[in-house]
Amino acid sequence: MKVLLFFGLVAFALADVTRFEGDKVLRLKPVLNEHVKVIRELANSVQLDFWTPESAEQVTVGMSVDIRVPAQYLDMVFTVLQQSGMQLEVFIDDVQEAVDRQIENKGSPRAHSYTKYNTWSDIESWMNSMATANSDMISKEVIGNTYEGLSFYLTILKRKRKLLYMVFYVIAATGASTNPCSETYCGTAPESEIESKNLADFIRKNKSIIKAYITIHSYSQMLLFPYSYTYELAADHDELLAVAKGASSALRSLYGTVYTSGPGAPTIYPAAGGSDDWAYDLGVKYSYTFELRDEGQYGFLLPESQIKPTCEETMLAVKYIAAHVQKNLY
């Protein structure tokens, strides 16, 4: 029996000329229904970038809400929030400064590195060289193309009877939007986007030998499992929770980073379209989502100095999950 672990890899390339001078990231704490209403009305009035949750529609009483506010709207947003009496904190004072700090060692060559954010071309070159130099262990497969016509790669790591597939995947329901301009737009139909279709087809084709699915996101320091689209508990809830807690403990043992474990909807917020939910309902029992460092100090702008420790501690959790899967094949 083969064990397949699926990873959603996040690549970050700084190629855009968009700049964010003066933008701030605010953390809001709505404790009244009126506060939730204020946030949603603001989102309809000005261009707010929701970092967590993913949209105004997902905001509920009691949750922490992180939003990036463009500089030109700050005075108005601060006035509205202060008039509402809502608790707020400035988490990032200048987003562009945080972006600039994110890329460290600016004078170093921009070749692929495990401790830097890499461009897609660097990552593609790295995949090719790794597959060529380690052909007995690594192979590369094209499972389709992207919307832009780029190759959609699957990198396969082989060792004895174990396989590690490294890929990417992303049902309209709670947390999704039918508005084409929304960042949580669900598409015109399930798998309407070619990238999602490529992965869905591959997973369905190989589901009989897929034993675990892991997707990696940022941020919040959480290890989540189904369900996110409903508050209903998964049939394997107790086992999934026990494994998540064990994996979180293994992760914490290295640098003391604390992760929260639980099903997506009650642990972070209800959200539809998650690939872990989809994989679980397809029959992949051990389906998990990592929300990596941090808890909002840097948010999506985690400095490069934290890449290595984040990978090291996360790998301990992944190994814990993999060991459990190997001992509990189904």
Side-chain angles (χ1 to χ4, degrees), residues 56-74:
E57 291 78 15
Q58 294 172 322
V59 174
T60 59
V61 170
M63 69 162 41
S64 292
V65 179
D66 295 352
I67 56 172
R68 178 180 62 84
V69 183
Q72 65 266 34
Y73 301 130
L74 280 170

Side-chain angles (χ1 to χ4, degrees), residues 29-49:
K29 194 70 174 182
V31 296
L32 303 172
N33 287 327
E34 183 63 27
H35 293 163
V36 174
K37 182 180 178 182
V38 167
I39 293 173
R40 291 177 177 173
E41 289 178 346
L42 273 174
N44 288 330
S45 302
V46 299
Q47 185 181 0
L48 300 180
D49 178 12

Side-chain angles (χ1 to χ4, degrees), residues 309-325:
T310 298
C311 291
E312 290 173 337
E313 66 189 9
T314 304
M315 185 54 67
L316 295 179
V318 171
K319 288 181 176 179
Y320 184 96
I321 295 172
H324 181 87
V325 173

Side-chain angles (χ1 to χ4, degrees), residues 29 61 185 217 290 307 316:
K29 194 70 174 182
V61 170
Y185 178 50
H217 302 181
F290 281 85
I307 294 176
L316 295 179

Side-chain angles (χ1 to χ4, degrees), residues 98-301:
V99 171
D100 294 340
R101 288 195 304 269
Q102 184 188 30
I103 304 301
E104 299 161 349
N105 302 316
K106 296 182 177 63
S108 61
R110 293 306 300 176
H112 182 275
S113 169
Y114 295 109
T115 59
K116 295 187 293 188
Y117 291 106
N118 298 285
T119 64
W120 169 245
S121 60
D122 288 336
I123 294 171
E124 189 172 31
S125 296
W126 171 82
M127 286 193 297
N128 291 334
S129 62
M130 290 294 288
T132 300
N134 304 277
S135 57
D136 58 326
M137 292 181 59
I138 303 174
S139 63
K140 193 177 67 173
E141 179 180 340
V142 176
I143 62 171
N145 295 315
T146 68
Y147 175 80
E148 297 175 319
L150 301 175
S151 295
F152 200 110
Y153 292 114
L154 192 71
T155 302
I156 308 171
L157 309 185
K158 301 168 290 185
R159 185 181 179 186
K160 296 181 181 179
R161 294 173 63 83
K162 294 177 287 185
L163 292 182
L164 176 64
Y165 280 88
M166 303 173 68
V167 304
F168 212 38
Y169 177 82
V170 150
I171 57 193
T174 303
S177 173
T178 56
N179 178 3
C181 296
S182 170
E183 293 185 355
T184 58
Y185 178 50
C186 61
T188 56
E191 303 167 24
S192 60
E193 308 312 300
I194 188 171
E195 294 85 356
S196 298
K197 179 65 172 172
N198 290 338
L199 281 169
D201 287 345
F202 176 84
I203 294 171
R204 276 191 291 262
K205 179 181 176 182
N206 294 277
K207 69 176 183 178
S208 64
I209 56 171
I210 298 172
K211 300 304 174 184
Y213 180 97
I214 300 176
T215 180
I216 299 181
H217 302 181
S218 67
Y219 59 95
S220 286
Q221 293 178 196
M222 293 183 177
L223 181 49
L224 308 173
F225 54 86
Y227 288 112
S228 292
Y229 71 81
T230 177
Y231 284 100
E232 179 182 345
L233 297 182
D236 303 292
H237 172 83
D238 291 345
E239 183 183 4
L240 293 174
L241 178 60
V243 173
K245 287 184 174 180
S248 296
S249 179
L251 184 153
R252 185 170 61 249
S253 69
L254 189 58
Y255 295 110
T257 309
V258 177
Y259 269 55
T260 300
S261 303
T267 304
I268 184 167
Y269 48 76
S275 58
D276 55 348
D277 284 355
W278 181 86
Y280 181 81
D281 282 343
L282 193 68
V284 183
K285 179 179 179 181
Y286 300 105
S287 294
Y288 289 96
T289 293
F290 281 85
E291 295 286 352
L292 300 179
R293 294 187 186 188
D294 58 8
E295 295 182 293
Q297 180 183 358
Y298 297 105
F300 294 123
L301 302 175

Side-chain angles (χ1 to χ4, degrees), residues 24-31 35 38-39 42 63-67 69 74-93:
K24 297 183 187 297
V25 173
L26 309 181
R27 172 160 289 183
L28 314 179
K29 194 70 174 182
V31 296
H35 293 163
V38 167
I39 293 173
L42 273 174
M63 69 162 41
S64 292
V65 179
D66 295 352
I67 56 172
V69 183
L74 280 170
D75 288 344
M76 186 267 280
V77 170
F78 272 121
T79 298
V80 172
L81 293 175
Q82 289 167 353
Q83 289 177 347
S84 74
M86 193 185 320
Q87 178 184 335
L88 70 89
E89 179 180 359
V90 177
F91 249 51
I92 299 179
D93 190 58

